Amino acid sequence: MTADGTPKSLSDITRDMGLNMSDVAAFSGLDESTIFRLWDNVEWLDRISGRSLQSLMSSVPGIAEYAMAHAVRKRRDGLIGDLHAEGLTVDLHTLENSAVAQQHLLNALEAALHIVRGQATQKTSSFIARFWGREQDRALESIYSTEPGRGLLRDPGKLFDASIDLAPRLNRRSYSFHSILALNILTHQVSKVTGRLEADLGFEVPGRQSAFMMRGVVMGSLISSDDFDLAERYRRELGATPVYAALEEWSFPTYTRDGRISSDFTLPSSLSLHNTATEVLREIAVYNDAYLYYLVSTYIPLALKRDPAFGGKVRELIQALELRAADCRDRTTRQTCNTLVRRLKGVA
């Protein structure tokens, strides 16, 4: 069996184990006539029933691994071909060597196909909305990344343009929970790479959708531009606009799966932010100073109101902030970090 899922017959898979048709039939409990029909056919996986496949997987070493690898490769090759037809070339080396699960990456490539085809449908909104979550986001990030060795597409420029074109059309076609999430996800990914702000996206939408889109754009822009003024404007906006604050509080816990993704954008009154704390600690360590200022001035104080124990990680939070503040260039950010640390030490 090859690890990459290259088509192989049953006889190819079992040959090195010294198993013949009768052996496979005996171990699996299947009729020898069934094994005979599949034995030399490299397309046997398309012809076997689910129950028979389960019998083979549980009795013959290598069948389960081959079935999974073959299914992944078949879907991968189909997506690569479809994307190539749309003018997008997949970096196969990056795809095969990514630390992100292949299934997540293939889902991201399928999302790219929906986007570049400009399919402004409810199905597209629903599919893109499924990328609200840490692992899914890592996969989607890879199709927009321009970083060599990280980006799945050799030149994602066409995807950027298609995303900006698609987002407002998704909103016009279907004002729904999924369209709100999809719009946020698209604008976040584009702004994270390009640094474009809301005004540059060329469209406006009302209510929660506008607020959530703004958050996606701001977060992406902060990550890409290290813009302290933007972080401060966002902090002031949350203080003046309750819907922005509510969406900000909802975002991290649902993204990390501490809380259930709810269409009314509410959280339970009692909620431990364990996964959120882990993600925030990671972000403190890896993101720029402007994003750090957003965390210490805006999100972390909001999170502590929801969960004063911060998922049981208050001590880790203190240590992370002290370490990061020592190297922070911006005076206001350092002072904000130190003020938060003093507050945390009072409850730790």
Side-chain angles (χ1 to χ4, degrees):
M1 191 198 85
T2 54
D4 64 0
T6 302
K8 299 187 77 172
S9 65
L10 270 178
S11 60
D12 291 331
I13 296 171
T14 59
R15 182 177 296 119
D16 291 341
M17 290 175 272
L19 299 179
N20 58 34
M21 271 191 284
S22 295
D23 297 327
V24 173
F27 288 136
S28 66
L30 299 176
D31 291 339
E32 194 163 331
S33 60
T34 298
I35 302 301
F36 176 78
R37 289 195 301 271
L38 303 172
W39 192 244
D40 291 315
N41 190 339
V42 295
E43 297 180 351
W44 66 273
L45 275 175
D46 295 327
R47 300 173 182 271
I48 193 171
S49 70
R51 179 169 295 181
S52 295
L53 179 58
Q54 289 182 52
S55 296
L56 286 173
M57 291 168 64
S58 66
S59 58
V60 180
I63 294 291
E65 294 82 358
Y66 170 76
M68 185 185 75
H70 179 73
V72 168
R73 180 179 176 124
K74 186 175 181 179
R75 185 185 181 206
R76 183 198 75 181
D77 290 349
L79 286 168
I80 289 174
D82 289 342
L83 286 166
H84 182 75
E86 299 295 335
L88 293 173
T89 302
V90 175
D91 187 326
L92 197 55
H93 178 78
T94 299
L95 176 61
E96 291 177 343
N97 290 278
S98 174
V100 180
Q102 288 287 295
Q103 292 89 339
H104 282 318
L105 295 176
L106 295 184
N107 292 339
L109 290 177
E110 185 169 342
L113 192 60
H114 283 296
I115 294 165
V116 78
R117 285 175 172 173
Q119 298 170 329
T121 64
Q122 185 175 356
K123 180 180 179 181
T124 296
S125 289
S126 179
F127 192 82
I128 295 172
R130 312 296 170 174
F131 288 87
W132 183 256
R134 173 61 188 150
E135 289 307 306
Q136 299 92 323
D137 183 51
R138 287 179 65 201
L140 198 65
E141 185 179 71
S142 67
I143 66 172
Y144 286 93
S145 176
T146 58
E147 183 181 336
R150 186 180 180 190
L152 289 185
L153 300 176
R154 294 193 183 277
D155 180 4
K158 187 173 183 179
L159 181 65
F160 299 159
D161 294 339
S163 298
I164 293 171
D165 175 71
L166 178 64
R169 293 191 293 115
L170 284 179
N171 173 57
R172 293 190 202 110
R173 293 291 293 274
S174 174
Y175 183 81
S176 66
F177 176 62
H178 282 159
S179 71
I180 292 174
L181 283 181
L183 185 57
N184 171 275
I185 289 166
L186 287 180
T187 54
H188 175 68
Q189 293 295 342
V190 172
S191 63
K192 187 157 53 176
V193 176
T194 66
R196 298 185 194 184
L197 296 176
E198 181 179 354
D200 298 316
L201 292 172
F203 61 94
E204 294 181 0
V205 282
R208 284 177 175 169
Q209 192 147 345
S210 177
F212 204 41
M213 184 199 72
M214 186 192 78
R215 183 185 187 277
V217 173
V218 168
M219 295 303 106
S221 298
L222 284 177
I223 292 169
S224 66
S225 68
D226 200 13
D227 186 340
F228 287 94
D229 290 338
L230 177 61
E232 176 59 19
R233 290 201 307 273
Y234 183 66
R235 185 191 66 80
R236 291 198 301 267
E237 196 68 49
L238 259 68
T241 312
V243 67
Y244 289 167
L247 289 172
E248 175 66 28
E249 186 178 17
W250 180 89
S251 295
F252 260 108
T254 55
Y255 177 82
T256 64
R257 299 304 189 261
D258 278 326
R260 183 176 61 86
I261 298 177
S262 55
S263 59
D264 60 356
F265 294 96
T266 60
L267 294 170
S269 56
S270 178
L271 184 66
S272 173
L273 299 179
H274 178 78
N275 296 333
T276 297
T278 299
E279 174 62 15
V280 168
L281 291 171
R282 183 193 72 84
E283 293 185 357
I284 288 172
V286 302
Y287 285 148
N288 58 45
D289 288 353
Y291 190 90
L292 174 64
Y293 178 71
Y294 147 71
L295 286 175
V296 296
S297 67
T298 303
Y299 179 68
I300 295 175
L302 198 61
L304 290 170
K305 291 180 181 178
R306 171 70 60 171
D307 176 16
F310 199 58
K313 294 182 180 292
V314 170
R315 292 188 184 279
E316 291 91 334
L317 178 59
I318 291 171
Q319 293 170 357
L321 291 175
E322 287 180 331
L323 182 64
R324 184 62 194 274
D327 294 327
C328 183
R329 302 174 314 234
D330 181 72
R331 179 181 177 183
T332 300
T333 303
R334 284 198 311 273
Q335 290 176 340
T336 307
C337 282
N338 292 333
T339 299
L340 182 56
V341 165
R342 287 193 296 272
R343 173 187 166 188
L344 289 167
K345 285 182 175 180
V347 299

